[in-house]
Amino acid sequence: MTSLLEQKCVETIRFLSADTVQKANSGHPGLPMGAAAMAFTIWSRHLRHSPRNPKWIDRDRFVLSGGHGSALLYALLHLSGYQLTLDDLKNFRQWGSKTPGHPEFGHTVGVETTTGPLGQGFANGVGMALAEAKLAAEFNRPSYELVNHYTYAIVTDGDLMEGISSEAASLAGTLKLGKLIYLYDDNQISIEGSTDIAFTEDRMARFASYGWHTQVVSDGNDIDAIDAAIIAAKKDLRPSIIAVRTLIGYGLPNKAGKASAHGEPAGVEELARAKTEAGWNPEVSFLIPEDVASFFLSRTDILEGEHDIWMKLIKTYQTHFSDLATELIRRMRGELPPQWTGELPIYAADAKGVATRIASGKALNQFANQLPEIFGGSADLAPSNKTNLDGMRSIKAGDYSGRNIHFGVREHAMGAIVNGIHYHGGFRSFGATFLVFADYLRPAIRISALSGLPSIWVFTHDSIGVGEDGPTHQPIEQLASLRAIPNLVTIRPCDANESNAAWKTALERTNGPTALIFTRQNLPILDRNIVADASMLEKGAYVLADAGDQEPELILMGSGSEVSLIFEAGLRLAAEGINVRMVSIPSWELFEAQPESYRKEVLPDSIAARVAVEAGINMGWAKYIGEGGQVISIDHFGASAPAEVLFEQYGFTIENVIETAMGVLKK
């Protein structure tokens, strides 16, 4: 039965959160005050974690999908003994604080996900649960359940409105991810007012149709009822959602249950009245009664005891399964094993060439054979993206030992699920689709960059080379839009050998995501006996070759499918007596990370005549071509026609590169 002390703990969470928001005079008190009881129930009766060992492999994961309620999470972290002080709470939303307006992974200890854009946390949790299920399938042995934990989340009306949640919930139900338990903060209020104005569906019927276990708790302050619902959820083999009827801003005399409680501080007088009515001293802020502090400390001691039991288990496991234990620890640390690249194919010069998507598929499979942590999939496009892991099973309900994920046509959820897998740890995951559909998962790509996750995004069909499918499927602005995302490395290799190097570079990244851009059409394989080695891709840009008998007077540069154009054009110009440098620039971000001396070595200031060629918009190329250069680009939508016709019609020909270069030289 709920004790008076537990009720006091809930009130402490409620007022600590509200004080945090009020001190900053900025934030969202409504969710923390309304959801305090269900958050307390999760954290005090169910969540297995270790404040003193926050990276414990077998900890339960907690996701606050409604990240605007971050004050709730910070209050729980502080009370539970994480390295988050009262001063940190008092510094909420301020410069340099550990308590930003929305939770940020890697910034605040104990925060498992970066949330705030609604729906992302919902789908991240699905990725976490999938990672747990797969890790358990790989490493658990009879009597040794090293991996046996749950993913809990508090989700909101806004989360459920977002389409990404429908996508993710459908897949979670299909895969029967039974370790996934979501508590839905059913307060029926959004910023614009009652959810009746836009959200009247039967939520639980919807989730039941997805294959979820559904329950309803009518009183959001009934700790015992919430506890019983979570216990029932744990016994069900399906993912679970519990609709908990709450009152936004609970305790506020004038704002409770109103939209005004959502996103603005309660106000000094309103908060004081709330404390008075609850029997608290209205003059005191950030109060943590001694008995409440002792309650949480005792809970932390119990949790540390569970962590110690697990540590004894893994030590015994190590004696019986030494190699498995070593592998598990390596993977959870995100480390690569020695000599992990294996023997990659080296492609000989070939004028007919090979599509880089095909070379990508071969590289991916080669690396997957060396790295068991690689698993991922495509948004129902694996045959086109060439991302199927050959000879390896697919993930399916009840059997999570496979390595191919069938995401279905769900790009946005795919992106956030891949991120969730990386939040969890133990894997290197990827998601694939056509480049033009990068827009469908852009919010997840952005969060992967913000969170420093090593997610790998595979995009094929990278230009007007898509051909007859027409402008709906021909990416024009997508390359520039990806390059605009901070901490995302975008790589567009020019041939099969650069494709190998691109995958190697992506897998070596540990502090951010990589977008790999591949062609549908065949590309010539450059003769690496003539041009620089493809391993130079790791520098982002490099000199393919200098043609002519004197110092270069012209630089031709490009990425991806256009590099073969500049190379052939350069050779013809050299035959006419013009000294040309040909530069491959597969990744702007990697190039910008090089020392200035290297960048100037590749693109010397002394050479003003420059031509860049890329089948996309010209945005950004100005920094490389300078005032004297020119870009051959496509700054309009494409058309439906064979690829070779489109390239010719839009000026992506050797002849046009030569003509443009001659014009630049005459300036």
Side-chain angles (χ1 to χ4, degrees):
M1 297 292 292
T2 302
S3 68
L4 291 176
L5 177 55
E6 287 179 304
Q7 294 289 1
K8 194 174 182 180
C9 289
V10 172
E11 290 179 345
T12 301
I13 294 168
R14 187 172 286 134
F15 289 129
L16 193 57
S17 301
D19 284 336
T20 297
V21 173
Q22 191 62 49
K23 174 70 167 56
N25 198 29
S26 174
H28 302 72
L31 185 156
M33 299 187 78
M38 65 178 175
F40 172 76
T41 307
I42 296 171
W43 282 65
S44 67
R45 297 192 180 185
H46 295 278
L47 194 71
R48 292 171 63 250
H49 59 115
S50 176
R52 296 166 197 162
N53 301 276
K55 293 298 183 183
W56 176 24
I57 292 172
D58 200 36
R59 70 190 184 278
D60 291 334
R61 271 58 169 183
F62 175 77
V63 178
L64 182 65
S65 191
H68 56 275
S70 58
L72 172 65
L73 179 54
Y74 299 146
L76 289 163
L77 291 171
H78 171 71
L79 291 167
S80 299
Y82 284 85
Q83 293 179 3
L84 202 66
T85 66
L86 269 183
D87 285 339
D88 291 324
L89 269 61
K90 293 175 182 178
N91 205 28
F92 181 57
R93 288 181 164 232
Q94 305 308 303
W95 175 261
S97 78
K98 295 180 181 179
T99 50
H102 292 81
E104 297 178 25
F105 175 78
H107 183 82
T108 308
V109 65
V111 170
E112 300 281 11
T113 60
T114 297
T115 56
L118 293 175
Q120 292 293 320
F122 187 110
N124 292 157
V126 175
M128 291 176 173
L130 178 55
E132 189 276 343
K134 179 160 175 54
L135 211 62
E138 289 189 46
F139 290 97
N140 285 355
R141 294 296 182 270
S143 301
Y144 292 94
E145 287 198 337
L146 280 187
V147 182
N148 183 17
H149 54 265
Y150 288 86
T151 298
Y152 298 95
I154 291 178
V155 302
T156 66
D157 287 302
D159 287 305
L160 267 57
M161 289 185 206
E162 289 285 359
I164 184 176
S165 298
S166 298
E167 295 178 17
S170 178
L171 183 60
T174 298
L175 295 179
K176 289 185 168 57
L177 296 175
K179 295 284 191 69
L180 191 65
I181 300 175
Y182 285 178
L183 275 69
Y184 163 35
D185 181 22
D186 185 15
N187 62 38
Q188 299 179 9
I189 291 290
S190 62
I191 292 175
E192 295 182 0
S194 169
T195 54
D196 286 345
I197 61 176
F199 192 44
T200 59
E201 69 203 41
D202 185 335
R203 285 78 140 167
M204 294 303 97
R206 169 181 146 199
F207 276 84
S209 74
Y210 291 145
W212 285 54
H213 175 226
T214 66
Q215 300 176 81
V216 175
V217 174
S218 60
D219 181 357
N221 289 313
D222 189 337
I223 294 172
D224 291 327
I226 297 168
D227 179 43
I230 295 174
I231 291 170
K234 287 182 174 180
K235 294 177 181 178
D236 201 283
L237 297 178
R238 297 167 293 176
S240 290
I241 186 166
I242 305 164
V244 183
R245 183 70 174 94
T246 62
L247 187 67
I248 191 170
Y250 181 88
L252 297 175
N254 296 304
K255 292 188 174 184
K258 298 178 181 177
S260 59
H262 170 81
E264 61 186 42
V268 174
E269 292 183 8
E270 180 82 354
L271 186 52
R273 282 191 58 190
K275 290 180 180 178
T276 299
E277 292 181 9
W280 284 56
N281 186 341
E283 303 298 325
V284 179
S285 298
F286 296 95
L287 174 64
I288 303 174
E290 289 186 9
D291 52 352
V292 170
S294 295
F295 176 93
F296 278 98
L297 179 60
S298 63
R299 173 65 179 161
T300 299
D301 289 340
I302 292 170
L303 292 170
E304 295 307 331
E306 293 185 9
H307 171 264
D308 292 343
I309 291 171
W310 186 87
M311 289 300 295
K312 292 178 182 177
L313 178 67
I314 193 171
K315 286 182 181 179
T316 308
Y317 181 89
Q318 286 174 317
T319 63
H320 295 284
F321 309 102
S322 175
D323 290 345
L324 281 175
T326 299
E327 177 72 2
L328 174 63
I329 292 170
R330 174 190 74 78
R331 284 169 52 173
M332 291 303 293
R333 288 176 177 170
E335 298 171 350
L336 292 170
Q339 300 178 334
W340 61 274
T341 57
E343 293 295 327
L344 284 168
I346 298 174
Y347 294 88
D350 185 345
K352 180 181 178 182
V354 63
T356 53
R357 63 170 174 155
I358 293 175
S360 163
K362 292 180 179 179
L364 170 59
N365 272 273
Q366 175 66 37
F367 286 127
N369 286 329
Q370 301 295 121
L371 298 174
E373 59 261 47
I374 291 178
F375 89 119
S378 168
D380 199 48
L381 287 169
S384 295
N385 297 145
K386 306 302 179 186
T387 49
N388 194 65
L389 300 180
D390 298 334
M392 299 180 188
R393 296 192 306 279
S394 297
I395 297 286
K396 61 182 181 180
D399 180 4
Y400 307 103
S401 59
R403 294 173 66 183
N404 289 298
I405 307 172
H406 299 287
F407 287 106
V409 187
R410 303 184 179 102
E411 290 90 351
H412 198 182
M414 174 182 73
I417 290 169
V418 167
N419 287 345
I421 291 168
H422 285 107
Y423 281 130
H424 181 279
F427 298 99
R428 292 302 305 274
S429 191
F430 62 89
T433 187
F434 293 166
L435 178 56
V436 77
F437 301 136
D439 296 338
Y440 278 8
L441 67 148
R442 184 181 175 85
I445 299 173
R446 183 177 188 272
I447 291 295
S448 71
L450 176 61
S451 299
L453 301 174
S455 303
I456 298 176
W457 311 115
V458 181
F459 298 117
T460 67
H461 297 58
D462 74 337
S463 70
I464 55 172
V466 171
E468 291 87 344
D469 275 343
T472 61
H473 283 55
Q474 293 166 2
I476 300 297
E477 74 280 14
Q478 278 71 24
L479 262 176
S481 72
L482 291 173
R483 288 169 176 157
I485 299 176
N487 199 39
L488 173 67
V489 167
T490 301
I491 307 176
R492 188 174 183 238
C494 73
D495 69 358
N497 289 307
E498 272 198 2
S499 298
N500 286 345
W503 265 105
K504 178 176 181 292
T505 299
L507 289 165
E508 286 173 334
R509 292 202 77 212
T510 59
N511 61 348
T514 307
L516 300 176
I517 316 296
F518 300 112
T519 65
R520 174 181 183 267
Q521 75 276 18
N522 287 350
L523 298 185
I525 299 171
L526 300 179
D527 187 345
R528 295 292 165 172
N529 294 314
I530 298 175
V531 302
D533 191 88
S535 63
M536 291 293 289
L537 173 140
E538 67 183 10
K539 293 184 177 295
Y542 62 100
V543 178
L544 279 172
D546 287 338
D549 53 11
Q550 296 182 28
E551 289 295 313
E553 57 191 298
L554 168 70
I555 298 177
L556 300 180
M557 65 186 83
S559 77
S561 53
E562 289 67 67
V563 170
S564 61
L565 289 180
I566 66 165
F567 182 68
E568 291 299 327
L571 294 180
R572 292 192 192 180
L573 286 165
E576 298 296 322
I578 297 171
N579 300 295
V580 185
R581 167 164 292 183
M582 293 88 85
V583 177
S584 176
I585 309 185
S587 173
W588 293 7
E589 299 82 13
L590 293 176
F591 186 48
E592 295 298 327
Q594 302 307 312
E596 183 181 11
S597 58
Y598 175 78
R599 286 183 275 126
K600 288 187 177 297
E601 180 184 332
V602 175
L603 301 174
D605 292 337
S606 58
I607 308 175
R610 303 180 181 189
V611 175
V613 188
E614 187 172 72
I617 63 172
N618 67 29
M619 184 181 295
W621 278 104
K623 62 183 175 182
Y624 296 131
I625 63 168
E627 295 183 1
Q630 190 167 331
V631 184
I632 298 174
S633 60
I634 175 169
D635 295 276
H636 52 79
F637 294 120
S640 178
E644 59 272 18
V645 174
L646 292 172
F647 280 119
E648 181 177 358
Q649 290 294 322
Y650 294 143
F652 293 97
T653 63
I654 296 171
E655 291 73 20
N656 190 44
V657 173
I658 292 173
E659 181 180 344
T660 303
M662 295 302 293
V664 167
L665 283 168
K666 291 176 181 177
K667 286 185 180 179

